[in-house]
Amino acid sequence: MPIIVNVDVMLAKRKMQSKELAEKLDITPANLSILKTGKAKGIRFDTLEAICRILDCQPGDILEYVNE
């Protein structure tokens, strides 16, 4: 898949666990895992906005396009 999700990278940079991010986003850890592994078919802009707010980053820090 040419879209890479770098949530794990940002979590490590912010020294935050997935469980804590899921709680702050008010989503299940399983749904966050689906997003982190790139298995999600899409992401809502309000969810992306919340991730960026919580992790103090830009959407480009979370999502990356890699030409196959």
Side-chain angles (χ1 to χ4, degrees), residues 1-20:
M1 177 177 221
I3 301 294
I4 307 298
V5 181
N6 293 316
V7 173
D8 279 338
V9 173
M10 292 309 300
L11 283 170
K13 286 182 179 180
R14 301 300 187 250
K15 295 180 173 45
M16 185 183 292
Q17 294 184 345
S18 294
K19 181 181 176 185
E20 182 181 353

Side-chain angles (χ1 to χ4, degrees), residues 8-56:
D8 279 338
V9 173
M10 292 309 300
L11 283 170
K13 286 182 179 180
R14 301 300 187 250
K15 295 180 173 45
M16 185 183 292
Q17 294 184 345
S18 294
K19 181 181 176 185
E20 182 181 353
L21 179 60
E23 288 173 359
K24 290 182 177 192
L25 290 172
D26 196 28
I27 63 173
T28 65
N31 282 340
L32 181 57
S33 177
I34 290 169
L35 176 62
K36 288 182 355 180
T37 58
K39 293 181 182 175
K41 298 292 183 196
I43 182 170
R44 294 175 53 135
F45 280 132
D46 59 341
T47 303
L48 181 59
E49 178 185 353
I51 291 171
C52 290
R53 181 176 20 84
I54 293 164
L55 295 178
D56 189 29

